[in-house]
Amino acid sequence: MENNALSELEKIIAARRSAAAENSYTAQLLQAAPEKLLKKIGEEATEVVIAAAGQGREAVLYESCDLIYHLMILWAREGIALQDISLELARRFALSGLEEKANRK
């Protein structure tokens, strides 16, 4: 079910690309200067951290969904599909975390 919701969100974001910005927050983010979206992602990531520091499961869940939504907007802007994310994660399963970090250098 989770992947279905993310897939549906990916479709909605793609459809909003051509929507009028005054009618859609998603369209606003897709059409705005990148800095606006990047700032929003930073804010949402901070809210996840704050929620995780003591606001409980529901707050972490809520804020995580906001962060994922904004990340998906970024991915759409960059031409990254959920399938790309899935493939990259699968590629990393074969590596230990330490190996993966060492390979970045």
Side-chain angles (χ1 to χ4, degrees):
M1 174 121 171
E2 309 84 41
N3 288 336
N4 291 337
L6 293 176
S7 295
E8 286 302 312
L9 181 54
E10 183 177 50
K11 290 175 191 172
I12 291 167
I13 290 168
R16 297 293 197 287
R17 187 174 290 280
S18 59
E22 59 270 6
N23 297 329
S24 168
Y25 177 65
T26 300
Q28 288 175 15
L29 291 173
L30 287 166
Q31 297 167 20
E35 294 78 20
K36 179 178 180 178
L37 176 58
L38 298 177
K39 180 179 177 189
K40 191 64 182 169
I41 290 170
E43 291 171 8
E44 297 300 343
T46 300
E47 289 173 6
V48 170
V49 171
I50 291 168
Q55 293 181 354
R57 180 187 182 281
E58 292 302 315
V60 173
L61 175 62
Y62 184 88
E63 298 300 345
S64 294
C65 288
D66 284 351
L67 178 57
I68 290 168
Y69 163 76
H70 288 90
L71 280 173
M72 289 183 71
I73 301 283
L74 174 65
W75 298 343
R77 287 182 67 131
E78 295 293 326
I80 299 170
L82 279 174
Q83 181 66 24
D84 300 325
I85 298 295
S86 182
L87 290 171
E88 177 60 17
L89 288 171
R91 182 190 69 78
R92 292 180 184 195
F93 291 160
L95 302 172
S96 75
L98 296 175
E99 281 179 295
E100 194 277 327
K101 284 186 176 229
N103 287 340
R104 289 188 210 169
K105 295 177 182 174

